[in-house]
Amino acid sequence: MEFNKGILKVKPDPSLHNADLAPVSGAKKGWTWWSYSAIWMGIVHNLVAWQVAAHLMAVGLSFWQALLCILVAYAVAFIAILFNSYSGAKYGVPFPVLIRAAFGTKGAHLPVFIRAVLGVFWFGVHMYLGSMAVNAILGASFSFWESLGEYRLLGMGLNSFIAYVITWILHAYIITHDIERVRKFENWAGPLVMIVGLGLVWWAMEQANGLGNLVSIPSTVSGTEFWITFFLGMSALLGTVATLILNISDLTRFSRSQKDHMVGQGIGMPLMFVLFSVMALLTTAGTMIAFGEAITNPIDVLTRFDHPLIVILGAVSILVSTLSVNVATNGVAVGYDLTSLMPTRLNFGKSALIAIIIGAISAPWLWYQEGGSFDLVMGAVGATMGPVLGVMLVDFFIIRKMNYDVDSLFIHTGQYGGWNKSAIASFVIGIVAAFIGLIIPSLSILYSFNWFIGVGIAGVTYLLLMWSKRSSSVMNTNLTEEEIANDK
């Protein structure tokens, strides 16, 4: 198999290497700060992020309490993202390759497989949410459309089924092309939904006779119940980005420099997440005043309007944002994850196609419903990914001293060959700790902190198990000219 002799000094093992997993360099590392700002604008503006933020008010938090929860959660997420972005930008390789340093070239299959499964889960969810927008567009365009819902097919109305098929085709077209098409799509897709969000906020202010009435809706929880709700909401918010925190190197591997991705993500991630969440909170407050209930899905809010043009324009923007986040996060991640498991048979395009097929047949319309378990499900995603992140960060910054031997990432006979039992043990212990509050009722309060517990316990356990190997773990700390450039 051909490989980049300028970066790799050894011939890689075919089971660990192909063109999509190989280190990128030179002209391929051309993403600027604007590329990352734009891609985060697209990632931020998605229905799940809106719903999780809006759900905070639906479960009883006031506007200001919900905003504080959002600020803290996304500040933590941003710090984690910056730390985990560094190695990808430095070495030009994706998450499934980097994780081999901590878990071993064979052991890495475990976290990569779990990440791929969660990616497919999210892929199906976002396709389903996108199909809601398509359904709204067609419903506002054709008077007969809603009547098709009387005919049932695979557990949904015929109108919903057709909308889902259309959404699937749109995803297939975008994601089966290379990563550069994703970047170009993000450059214009991201900001569109802001128009809808601002329009909904304007509507909410009119319904409430001013901004003051929207932000003064009182909390309905207090004491211990408030704190449990607050931190469970924070875990749910982290759950929406937990998988992306883990595989952010899939995107930063293309960064022109460390500065580019740091500045771009600094503009695009925390600021836009907070702004988008504020729009979700204000709109939800408006629905509480206008309809007497908290409506957390913006598509449901749009369909309450008796203006077909508004519904169509709004739903189109939401559809675009949903496509945007799915191809930029779940599609890219699963594409690399599945490719790394079978690099001799799969490439990015084939893996992404597998993801959208499995995501479709997972039938998310049968099980994805917002309700009392919404925060629990979102938190579970974070609790699953948190321990992997803890191991990765400790391994790179403390055990490996911010230096990897790139050659060893692509051969089974190098220093990362086989299984790292310390990483596997730390991951398992972290998972158990993160879910202990869900398993043992008397410790249920701990589940509100599941992401933090998973990251912390797994990271500390790995540090203790690997501490004696710290000084001898870095075989080659002499950086190539390419790596030195990527550190700037």
Short mmCIF file of all heavy atoms in Angstrom, two decimals, residues 93-145:
data_model
loop_
_atom_site.label_atom_id
_atom_site.label_comp_id
_atom_site.label_asym_id
_atom_site.label_seq_id
_atom_site.Cartn_x
_atom_site.Cartn_y
_atom_site.Cartn_z
N VAL A 93 -3.52 13.38 12.06
CA VAL A 93 -4.22 12.09 12.01
C VAL A 93 -5.53 12.19 12.78
O VAL A 93 -5.67 13.00 13.70
CB VAL A 93 -3.36 10.95 12.58
CG1 VAL A 93 -2.15 10.70 11.69
CG2 VAL A 93 -2.92 11.25 14.00
N PRO A 94 -6.52 11.36 12.43
CA PRO A 94 -7.83 11.42 13.08
C PRO A 94 -7.86 10.69 14.42
O PRO A 94 -6.90 9.97 14.77
CB PRO A 94 -8.75 10.75 12.06
CG PRO A 94 -7.87 9.76 11.38
CD PRO A 94 -6.51 10.41 11.29
N PHE A 95 -8.97 10.82 15.12
CA PHE A 95 -9.16 10.20 16.43
C PHE A 95 -8.87 8.69 16.44
O PHE A 95 -8.17 8.21 17.35
CB PHE A 95 -10.59 10.47 16.92
CG PHE A 95 -11.07 9.51 17.98
CD1 PHE A 95 -10.59 9.57 19.27
CD2 PHE A 95 -12.02 8.54 17.66
CE1 PHE A 95 -11.03 8.68 20.24
CE2 PHE A 95 -12.48 7.65 18.62
CZ PHE A 95 -11.98 7.72 19.92
N PRO A 96 -9.38 7.89 15.49
CA PRO A 96 -9.13 6.45 15.57
C PRO A 96 -7.65 6.07 15.53
O PRO A 96 -7.29 4.98 15.98
CB PRO A 96 -9.86 5.89 14.33
CG PRO A 96 -10.89 6.92 14.00
CD PRO A 96 -10.24 8.23 14.34
N VAL A 97 -6.83 6.94 14.98
CA VAL A 97 -5.39 6.69 14.96
C VAL A 97 -4.75 7.16 16.25
O VAL A 97 -3.94 6.45 16.87
CB VAL A 97 -4.74 7.39 13.74
CG1 VAL A 97 -3.21 7.26 13.80
CG2 VAL A 97 -5.26 6.79 12.45
N LEU A 98 -5.09 8.36 16.70
CA LEU A 98 -4.51 8.90 17.93
C LEU A 98 -4.81 8.02 19.14
O LEU A 98 -3.96 7.87 20.03
CB LEU A 98 -5.05 10.31 18.18
CG LEU A 98 -4.54 11.41 17.26
CD1 LEU A 98 -5.31 12.70 17.52
CD2 LEU A 98 -3.05 11.64 17.45
N ILE A 99 -5.99 7.44 19.20
CA ILE A 99 -6.39 6.66 20.37
C ILE A 99 -5.54 5.41 20.52
O ILE A 99 -5.48 4.80 21.59
CB ILE A 99 -7.90 6.29 20.27
CG1 ILE A 99 -8.45 5.82 21.62
CG2 ILE A 99 -8.12 5.23 19.21
CD1 ILE A 99 -8.48 6.91 22.66
N ARG A 100 -4.83 5.01 19.45
CA ARG A 100 -3.96 3.84 19.52
C ARG A 100 -2.81 4.04 20.50
O ARG A 100 -2.31 3.07 21.08
CB ARG A 100 -3.41 3.52 18.13
CG ARG A 100 -4.45 3.09 17.12
CD ARG A 100 -3.88 3.04 15.71
NE ARG A 100 -4.90 2.74 14.71
CZ ARG A 100 -4.73 2.87 13.40
NH1 ARG A 100 -3.55 3.29 12.93
NH2 ARG A 100 -5.71 2.59 12.56
N ALA A 101 -2.38 5.28 20.68
CA ALA A 101 -1.27 5.55 21.59
C ALA A 101 -1.64 5.17 23.02
O ALA A 101 -0.80 4.64 23.77
CB ALA A 101 -0.87 7.02 21.52
N ALA A 102 -2.86 5.41 23.42
CA ALA A 102 -3.29 5.11 24.78
C ALA A 102 -3.77 3.68 24.93
O ALA A 102 -3.41 2.98 25.88
CB ALA A 102 -4.39 6.08 25.20
N PHE A 103 -4.60 3.19 24.01
CA PHE A 103 -5.22 1.88 24.15
C PHE A 103 -4.47 0.76 23.45
O PHE A 103 -4.76 -0.41 23.67
CB PHE A 103 -6.66 1.93 23.62
CG PHE A 103 -7.63 2.59 24.55
CD1 PHE A 103 -7.71 3.98 24.63
CD2 PHE A 103 -8.47 1.84 25.36
CE1 PHE A 103 -8.60 4.60 25.49
CE2 PHE A 103 -9.37 2.44 26.22
CZ PHE A 103 -9.43 3.82 26.30
N GLY A 104 -3.50 1.11 22.60
CA GLY A 104 -2.80 0.09 21.83
C GLY A 104 -3.42 -0.06 20.46
O GLY A 104 -4.60 0.25 20.26
N THR A 105 -2.65 -0.56 19.52
CA THR A 105 -3.14 -0.67 18.14
C THR A 105 -4.30 -1.64 18.02
O THR A 105 -5.12 -1.53 17.10
CB THR A 105 -2.00 -1.11 17.20
OG1 THR A 105 -1.41 -2.32 17.73
CG2 THR A 105 -0.93 -0.03 17.08
N LYS A 106 -4.39 -2.61 18.91
CA LYS A 106 -5.52 -3.54 18.92
C LYS A 106 -6.59 -3.11 19.93
O LYS A 106 -7.77 -3.21 19.67
CB LYS A 106 -5.04 -4.96 19.22
CG LYS A 106 -4.13 -5.54 18.14
CD LYS A 106 -3.71 -6.97 18.45
CE LYS A 106 -2.84 -7.53 17.34
NZ LYS A 106 -2.38 -8.93 17.62
N GLY A 107 -6.16 -2.64 21.07
CA GLY A 107 -7.09 -2.20 22.10
C GLY A 107 -7.93 -1.01 21.68
O GLY A 107 -9.04 -0.80 22.19
N ALA A 108 -7.40 -0.22 20.73
CA ALA A 108 -8.11 0.98 20.28
C ALA A 108 -9.42 0.64 19.61
O ALA A 108 -10.32 1.49 19.51
CB ALA A 108 -7.22 1.77 19.32
N HIS A 109 -9.57 -0.60 19.14
CA HIS A 109 -10.83 -0.98 18.48
C HIS A 109 -12.02 -0.84 19.42
O HIS A 109 -13.14 -0.57 18.96
CB HIS A 109 -10.74 -2.42 17.98
CG HIS A 109 -9.83 -2.61 16.81
ND1 HIS A 109 -9.58 -1.60 15.90
CD2 HIS A 109 -9.09 -3.67 16.39
CE1 HIS A 109 -8.75 -2.03 14.97
NE2 HIS A 109 -8.42 -3.28 15.25
N LEU A 110 -11.80 -1.03 20.72
CA LEU A 110 -12.91 -0.94 21.68
C LEU A 110 -13.51 0.46 21.74
O LEU A 110 -14.71 0.62 21.47
CB LEU A 110 -12.45 -1.39 23.07
CG LEU A 110 -13.48 -1.22 24.20
CD1 LEU A 110 -14.72 -2.05 23.93
CD2 LEU A 110 -12.85 -1.61 25.55
N PRO A 111 -12.75 1.51 22.09
CA PRO A 111 -13.35 2.84 22.12
C PRO A 111 -13.79 3.34 20.76
O PRO A 111 -14.78 4.07 20.65
CB PRO A 111 -12.24 3.73 22.71
CG PRO A 111 -10.97 2.99 22.44
CD PRO A 111 -11.34 1.54 22.54
N VAL A 112 -13.07 2.94 19.70
CA VAL A 112 -13.45 3.37 18.36
C VAL A 112 -14.80 2.77 17.97
O VAL A 112 -15.67 3.45 17.41
CB VAL A 112 -12.38 2.98 17.33
CG1 VAL A 112 -12.89 3.18 15.90
CG2 VAL A 112 -11.12 3.81 17.54
N PHE A 113 -14.99 1.49 18.30
CA PHE A 113 -16.26 0.83 17.99
C PHE A 113 -17.41 1.48 18.76
O PHE A 113 -18.48 1.74 18.19
CB PHE A 113 -16.19 -0.66 18.32
CG PHE A 113 -17.49 -1.39 18.11
CD1 PHE A 113 -17.92 -1.70 16.82
CD2 PHE A 113 -18.29 -1.74 19.19
CE1 PHE A 113 -19.12 -2.36 16.62
CE2 PHE A 113 -19.49 -2.40 18.99
CZ PHE A 113 -19.91 -2.71 17.71
N ILE A 114 -17.19 1.77 20.04
CA ILE A 114 -18.24 2.40 20.85
C ILE A 114 -18.56 3.79 20.30
O ILE A 114 -19.73 4.18 20.20
CB ILE A 114 -17.79 2.49 22.32
CG1 ILE A 114 -17.69 1.09 22.92
CG2 ILE A 114 -18.77 3.35 23.14
CD1 ILE A 114 -17.13 1.07 24.33
N ARG A 115 -17.52 4.53 19.92
CA ARG A 115 -17.74 5.85 19.33
C ARG A 115 -18.52 5.73 18.03
O ARG A 115 -19.40 6.55 17.75
CB ARG A 115 -16.40 6.55 19.09
CG ARG A 115 -16.49 7.83 18.27
CD ARG A 115 -17.29 8.88 18.98
NE ARG A 115 -17.52 10.06 18.14
CZ ARG A 115 -18.56 10.24 17.34
NH1 ARG A 115 -19.49 9.31 17.24
NH2 ARG A 115 -18.70 11.35 16.66
N ALA A 116 -18.22 4.72 17.23
CA ALA A 116 -18.92 4.53 15.97
C ALA A 116 -20.40 4.21 16.21
O ALA A 116 -21.28 4.73 15.51
CB ALA A 116 -18.27 3.41 15.17
N VAL A 117 -20.67 3.36 17.21
CA VAL A 117 -22.06 3.02 17.53
C VAL A 117 -22.84 4.26 17.95
O VAL A 117 -23.97 4.50 17.50
CB VAL A 117 -22.11 1.95 18.65
CG1 VAL A 117 -23.54 1.77 19.16
CG2 VAL A 117 -21.57 0.63 18.14
N LEU A 118 -22.23 5.08 18.81
CA LEU A 118 -22.89 6.32 19.23
C LEU A 118 -23.06 7.28 18.06
O LEU A 118 -24.05 8.01 17.97
CB LEU A 118 -22.09 6.99 20.35
CG LEU A 118 -22.16 6.29 21.71
CD1 LEU A 118 -21.25 6.99 22.71
CD2 LEU A 118 -23.59 6.27 22.25
N GLY A 119 -22.08 7.28 17.16
CA GLY A 119 -22.18 8.14 15.98
C GLY A 119 -23.36 7.74 15.10
O GLY A 119 -24.09 8.60 14.59
N VAL A 120 -23.54 6.43 14.93
CA VAL A 120 -24.68 5.95 14.15
C VAL A 120 -25.99 6.30 14.85
O VAL A 120 -26.98 6.68 14.21
CB VAL A 120 -24.56 4.42 13.94
CG1 VAL A 120 -25.84 3.87 13.32
CG2 VAL A 120 -23.37 4.10 13.04
N PHE A 121 -26.00 6.17 16.19
CA PHE A 121 -27.17 6.56 16.98
C PHE A 121 -27.53 8.02 16.71
O PHE A 121 -28.69 8.34 16.41
CB PHE A 121 -26.85 6.35 18.47
CG PHE A 121 -27.71 7.14 19.42
CD1 PHE A 121 -28.96 6.68 19.79
CD2 PHE A 121 -27.25 8.34 19.97
CE1 PHE A 121 -29.75 7.40 20.68
CE2 PHE A 121 -28.02 9.06 20.85
CZ PHE A 121 -29.28 8.60 21.21
N TRP A 122 -26.55 8.91 16.79
CA TRP A 122 -26.80 10.32 16.56
C TRP A 122 -27.18 10.59 15.10
O TRP A 122 -28.00 11.46 14.81
CB TRP A 122 -25.56 11.14 16.92
CG TRP A 122 -25.44 11.47 18.37
CD1 TRP A 122 -24.41 11.15 19.19
CD2 TRP A 122 -26.39 12.17 19.18
NE1 TRP A 122 -24.65 11.61 20.46
CE2 TRP A 122 -25.85 12.24 20.47
CE3 TRP A 122 -27.63 12.75 18.92
CZ2 TRP A 122 -26.52 12.88 21.52
CZ3 TRP A 122 -28.30 13.38 19.97
CH2 TRP A 122 -27.74 13.43 21.24
N PHE A 123 -26.57 9.82 14.20
CA PHE A 123 -26.88 10.01 12.79
C PHE A 123 -28.37 9.77 12.53
O PHE A 123 -29.05 10.54 11.84
CB PHE A 123 -26.04 9.07 11.93
CG PHE A 123 -25.63 9.66 10.63
CD1 PHE A 123 -24.33 9.99 10.38
CD2 PHE A 123 -26.57 9.92 9.64
CE1 PHE A 123 -23.94 10.56 9.17
CE2 PHE A 123 -26.21 10.48 8.44
CZ PHE A 123 -24.88 10.80 8.20
N GLY A 124 -28.87 8.68 13.10
CA GLY A 124 -30.28 8.36 12.93
C GLY A 124 -31.18 9.41 13.53
O GLY A 124 -32.20 9.80 12.94
N VAL A 125 -30.81 9.91 14.73
CA VAL A 125 -31.60 10.93 15.40
C VAL A 125 -31.68 12.20 14.56
O VAL A 125 -32.77 12.77 14.36
CB VAL A 125 -31.02 11.25 16.80
CG1 VAL A 125 -31.66 12.51 17.38
CG2 VAL A 125 -31.24 10.08 17.74
N HIS A 126 -30.55 12.67 14.06
CA HIS A 126 -30.53 13.90 13.28
C HIS A 126 -31.24 13.75 11.95
O HIS A 126 -31.87 14.70 11.46
CB HIS A 126 -29.10 14.38 13.08
CG HIS A 126 -28.51 15.07 14.27
ND1 HIS A 126 -28.85 16.35 14.63
CD2 HIS A 126 -27.62 14.65 15.21
CE1 HIS A 126 -28.19 16.69 15.73
NE2 HIS A 126 -27.44 15.67 16.10
N MET A 127 -31.14 12.56 11.34
CA MET A 127 -31.90 12.34 10.11
C MET A 127 -33.40 12.41 10.39
O MET A 127 -34.17 12.97 9.60
CB MET A 127 -31.53 10.99 9.49
CG MET A 127 -30.26 11.03 8.67
SD MET A 127 -30.10 9.60 7.54
CE MET A 127 -29.91 8.27 8.70
N TYR A 128 -33.81 11.84 11.51
CA TYR A 128 -35.22 11.87 11.88
C TYR A 128 -35.68 13.31 12.13
O TYR A 128 -36.76 13.73 11.65
CB TYR A 128 -35.44 11.02 13.13
CG TYR A 128 -36.80 11.13 13.74
CD1 TYR A 128 -37.95 10.89 12.98
CD2 TYR A 128 -36.96 11.45 15.08
CE1 TYR A 128 -39.22 10.98 13.55
CE2 TYR A 128 -38.22 11.54 15.65
CZ TYR A 128 -39.34 11.30 14.88
OH TYR A 128 -40.58 11.40 15.45
N LEU A 129 -34.87 14.08 12.85
CA LEU A 129 -35.23 15.48 13.10
C LEU A 129 -35.25 16.28 11.80
O LEU A 129 -36.11 17.15 11.61
CB LEU A 129 -34.24 16.09 14.09
CG LEU A 129 -34.25 15.50 15.51
CD1 LEU A 129 -33.14 16.10 16.36
CD2 LEU A 129 -35.61 15.73 16.17
N GLY A 130 -34.31 15.99 10.90
CA GLY A 130 -34.31 16.66 9.61
C GLY A 130 -35.56 16.33 8.80
O GLY A 130 -36.11 17.19 8.09
N SER A 131 -36.03 15.09 8.93
CA SER A 131 -37.23 14.70 8.20
C SER A 131 -38.47 15.44 8.71
O SER A 131 -39.43 15.64 7.97
CB SER A 131 -37.45 13.19 8.30
OG SER A 131 -37.87 12.79 9.59
N MET A 132 -38.44 15.85 9.98
CA MET A 132 -39.54 16.66 10.51
C MET A 132 -39.62 17.99 9.77
O MET A 132 -40.72 18.48 9.46
CB MET A 132 -39.33 16.93 12.01
CG MET A 132 -39.49 15.74 12.91
SD MET A 132 -39.27 16.24 14.64
CE MET A 132 -39.55 14.68 15.48
N ALA A 133 -38.44 18.56 9.48
CA ALA A 133 -38.42 19.81 8.73
C ALA A 133 -38.94 19.61 7.31
O ALA A 133 -39.71 20.43 6.79
CB ALA A 133 -36.99 20.36 8.70
N VAL A 134 -38.52 18.51 6.66
CA VAL A 134 -39.02 18.21 5.31
C VAL A 134 -40.52 18.02 5.34
O VAL A 134 -41.24 18.52 4.46
CB VAL A 134 -38.33 16.95 4.76
CG1 VAL A 134 -38.96 16.54 3.42
CG2 VAL A 134 -36.84 17.18 4.58
N ASN A 135 -41.02 17.33 6.35
CA ASN A 135 -42.45 17.11 6.48
C ASN A 135 -43.20 18.43 6.64
O ASN A 135 -44.28 18.63 6.05
CB ASN A 135 -42.72 16.20 7.68
CG ASN A 135 -44.06 15.51 7.60
OD1 ASN A 135 -44.64 15.34 6.54
ND2 ASN A 135 -44.58 15.12 8.76
N ALA A 136 -42.62 19.35 7.42
CA ALA A 136 -43.25 20.66 7.61
C ALA A 136 -43.27 21.46 6.30
O ALA A 136 -44.26 22.14 5.99
CB ALA A 136 -42.51 21.44 8.69
N ILE A 137 -42.18 21.37 5.54
CA ILE A 137 -42.10 22.08 4.26
C ILE A 137 -43.19 21.58 3.30
O ILE A 137 -43.92 22.37 2.69
CB ILE A 137 -40.71 21.89 3.63
CG1 ILE A 137 -39.64 22.57 4.49
CG2 ILE A 137 -40.68 22.45 2.20
CD1 ILE A 137 -38.22 22.17 4.10
N LEU A 138 -43.28 20.26 3.18
CA LEU A 138 -44.25 19.67 2.26
C LEU A 138 -45.68 19.89 2.75
O LEU A 138 -46.60 20.09 1.95
CB LEU A 138 -43.96 18.18 2.07
CG LEU A 138 -42.62 17.85 1.41
CD1 LEU A 138 -42.37 16.34 1.39
CD2 LEU A 138 -42.58 18.41 -0.01
N GLY A 139 -45.86 19.87 4.08
CA GLY A 139 -47.19 20.11 4.63
C GLY A 139 -47.68 21.51 4.38
O GLY A 139 -48.89 21.75 4.15
N ALA A 140 -46.75 22.48 4.40
CA ALA A 140 -47.12 23.87 4.13
C ALA A 140 -47.28 24.13 2.63
O ALA A 140 -47.92 25.12 2.24
CB ALA A 140 -46.06 24.80 4.71
N SER A 141 -46.74 23.25 1.80
CA SER A 141 -46.76 23.46 0.35
C SER A 141 -47.96 22.80 -0.33
O SER A 141 -48.46 23.29 -1.34
CB SER A 141 -45.47 22.92 -0.27
OG SER A 141 -44.33 23.54 0.29
N PHE A 142 -48.39 21.67 0.22
CA PHE A 142 -49.47 20.90 -0.42
C PHE A 142 -50.59 20.62 0.58
O PHE A 142 -50.34 20.05 1.64
CB PHE A 142 -48.93 19.59 -0.99
CG PHE A 142 -47.77 19.76 -1.93
CD1 PHE A 142 -46.47 19.49 -1.52
CD2 PHE A 142 -47.98 20.20 -3.22
CE1 PHE A 142 -45.39 19.65 -2.38
CE2 PHE A 142 -46.91 20.37 -4.10
CZ PHE A 142 -45.62 20.10 -3.67
N SER A 143 -51.80 20.97 0.23
CA SER A 143 -52.94 20.82 1.13
C SER A 143 -53.26 19.37 1.44
O SER A 143 -53.81 19.06 2.51
CB SER A 143 -54.17 21.50 0.52
OG SER A 143 -54.48 20.92 -0.75
N PHE A 144 -52.93 18.46 0.53
CA PHE A 144 -53.26 17.04 0.73
C PHE A 144 -52.23 16.29 1.57
O PHE A 144 -52.44 15.14 1.93
CB PHE A 144 -53.36 16.33 -0.64
CG PHE A 144 -52.05 16.26 -1.38
CD1 PHE A 144 -51.16 15.22 -1.16
CD2 PHE A 144 -51.71 17.24 -2.31
CE1 PHE A 144 -49.96 15.15 -1.84
CE2 PHE A 144 -50.50 17.18 -2.99
CZ PHE A 144 -49.62 16.13 -2.76
N TRP A 145 -51.10 16.97 1.85
CA TRP A 145 -49.96 16.26 2.44
C TRP A 145 -50.30 15.60 3.78
O TRP A 145 -49.96 14.44 4.02
CB TRP A 145 -48.77 17.22 2.61
CG TRP A 145 -47.53 16.52 3.09
CD1 TRP A 145 -46.98 16.55 4.32
CD2 TRP A 145 -46.70 15.66 2.31
NE1 TRP A 145 -45.87 15.77 4.38
CE2 TRP A 145 -45.67 15.22 3.14
CE3 TRP A 145 -46.73 15.24 0.98
CZ2 TRP A 145 -44.67 14.36 2.71
CZ3 TRP A 145 -45.74 14.37 0.54
CH2 TRP A 145 -44.73 13.95 1.40
#
